[in-house]
């Protein structure tokens, strides 16, 4: 089932220009961080004397945090389109098969997000002081945001327009990343609601124990939301 669903998704993506742009966006982000950002930084320094390259880590972490969100939005829109066309709204024989089918729908974007995150982190190296083990850890933390976004949009939106509107609402979680990293105590408290903020803290923290604590907070928030939206998702798409 997993392989057949993935093949069907690829065929659907290549037929839709918007979905093609979404799937290519992580590679565009790599180009931005590796090529465009240094040029922009040099230009600003020559004109204003401001060293933007000092904030490369914050910018890179924020940009990379967009990857799981983009993949989640992509698959949510793809799923909504298929449901509206009755392509995915199959009626399996048992509730167990129904649940497995929807779980497969979550595993595919999660796996894709994880692989893309590993690639972009390896190429861009946002936090040079951290090794490959921390990169693997952060990739797993960030990849969990993809099911969150997928279920959030898939359970609440009934059309592509509604899905796009909800994806913009999720942008609040993204904004919390640079604000939380740049603001001093106690103003960074306003970013505590975002699991993406906690994953970024886990990334930049040099103390392994604290990094694990921040990661645990990220997972608690994320899986709490996933559980809530997954139940609603099941009711909406299996009745």
């Amino acid at each position: 089932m997993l392989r057949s669903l993935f093949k069907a998704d690829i065929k659907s993506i290549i037929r839709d220009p918007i979905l093609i742009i979404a799937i290519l966006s992580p590679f565009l982000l790599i180009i931005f961080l590796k090529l465009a950002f240094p040029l922009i930084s040099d230009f600003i320094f020559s004109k204003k004397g401001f060293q933007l390259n000092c904030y490369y880590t914050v910018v890179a972490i924020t940009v990379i945090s967009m990857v799981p969100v983009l993949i989640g939005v992509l698959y949510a829109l793809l799923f909504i389109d298929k449901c509206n066309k009755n392509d995915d709204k199959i009626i399996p024989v048992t509730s167990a098969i129904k649940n497995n089918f929807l779980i497969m729908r979550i595993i595919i974007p999660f796996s894709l997000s994880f692989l893309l995150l590993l690639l972009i982190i390896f190429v861009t190296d946002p936090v040079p002081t951290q090794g490959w083990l921390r990169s693997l850890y952060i990739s797993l933390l960030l990849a969990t945001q993809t099911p969150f976004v997928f279920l959030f949009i898939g359970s609440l939106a009934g059309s592509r327009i509604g899905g796009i509107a909800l994806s913009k609402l999720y942008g609040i979680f993204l904004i919390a990343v640079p604000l939380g990293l740049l603001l001093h105590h106690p103003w960074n408290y306003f970013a505590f609601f975002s699991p993406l903020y906690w994953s970024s803290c886990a990334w930049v923290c040099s103390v392994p124990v604290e990094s694990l604590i921040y990661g645990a907070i990220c997972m608690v928030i994320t899986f709490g939301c996933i559980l809530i939206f997954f139940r609603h998702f099941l009711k909406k798409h299996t009745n």
Side-chain angles (χ1 to χ4, degrees):
M1 181 185 291
L2 189 64
R3 183 180 298 179
S4 62
L5 285 175
F6 182 70
K7 289 181 178 179
D9 291 342
I10 294 298
K11 291 180 180 178
S12 299
I13 290 172
I14 61 178
R15 298 192 192 106
D16 191 319
I18 295 179
L19 298 182
I20 291 175
I21 294 173
I23 198 65
L24 292 178
S25 56
F27 302 99
L28 298 177
L29 295 178
I30 292 177
I31 294 174
F32 168 75
L33 290 175
K34 293 296 291 184
L35 299 178
F37 183 83
L39 294 175
I40 295 172
S41 179
D42 291 341
F43 177 77
I44 293 177
F45 180 74
S46 64
K47 295 295 183 179
K48 303 294 183 180
F50 179 74
Q51 293 185 336
L52 182 63
N53 60 331
C54 294
Y55 295 91
Y56 173 75
T57 294
V58 175
V59 173
I61 289 177
T62 303
V63 169
I64 291 173
S65 296
M66 295 171 60
V67 173
V69 178
L70 290 169
I71 299 301
V73 171
L74 164 67
Y75 269 85
L77 296 180
L78 182 63
F79 184 80
I80 291 171
D81 288 346
K82 285 179 174 290
C83 285
N84 289 338
K85 296 176 183 177
N86 292 323
D87 291 339
D88 254 1
K89 210 156 190 177
I90 61 174
I91 308 297
V93 177
T94 66
S95 60
I97 297 178
K98 292 179 182 180
N99 293 349
N100 289 337
F101 175 78
L102 293 177
I103 289 173
M104 290 300 103
R105 274 281 168 223
I106 295 173
I107 290 176
I108 293 174
F110 169 82
S111 302
L112 179 61
S113 178
F114 175 70
L115 293 175
L116 287 173
L117 284 165
L118 277 179
L119 173 64
I120 192 172
I121 290 174
F122 175 76
V123 174
T124 60
D125 195 19
V127 188
T129 57
Q130 307 297 350
W132 67 269
L133 189 59
R134 184 69 67 92
S135 297
L136 182 65
Y137 172 55
I138 296 303
S139 296
L140 285 171
L141 287 180
L142 288 175
T144 59
Q145 300 307 306
T146 301
F148 179 6
V149 175
F150 174 79
L151 292 170
F152 171 67
I153 296 176
S155 63
L156 298 179
S159 65
R160 174 175 288 205
I161 295 176
I164 294 175
L166 287 172
S167 68
K168 294 179 180 179
L169 180 62
Y170 193 86
I172 298 174
F173 290 90
L174 275 171
I175 294 173
V177 175
L179 291 180
L181 292 176
L182 294 174
L183 294 177
H184 295 288
H185 175 84
W187 298 108
N188 62 333
Y189 288 174
F190 290 105
F192 280 14
F193 70 94
S194 173
L196 291 172
Y197 166 73
W198 292 108
S199 64
S200 64
C201 288
W203 201 347
V204 299
C205 181
S206 59
V207 182
V209 175
E210 291 186 8
S211 178
L212 291 174
I213 293 174
Y214 296 148
I217 296 174
C218 171
M219 297 301 283
V220 168
I221 298 174
T222 301
F223 280 102
C225 294
I226 286 176
L227 181 60
I228 293 172
F229 289 115
F230 185 70
R231 290 181 175 180
H232 185 60
F233 191 84
L234 284 175
K235 291 179 182 179
K236 180 177 180 179
H237 293 288
T238 59
N239 290 334

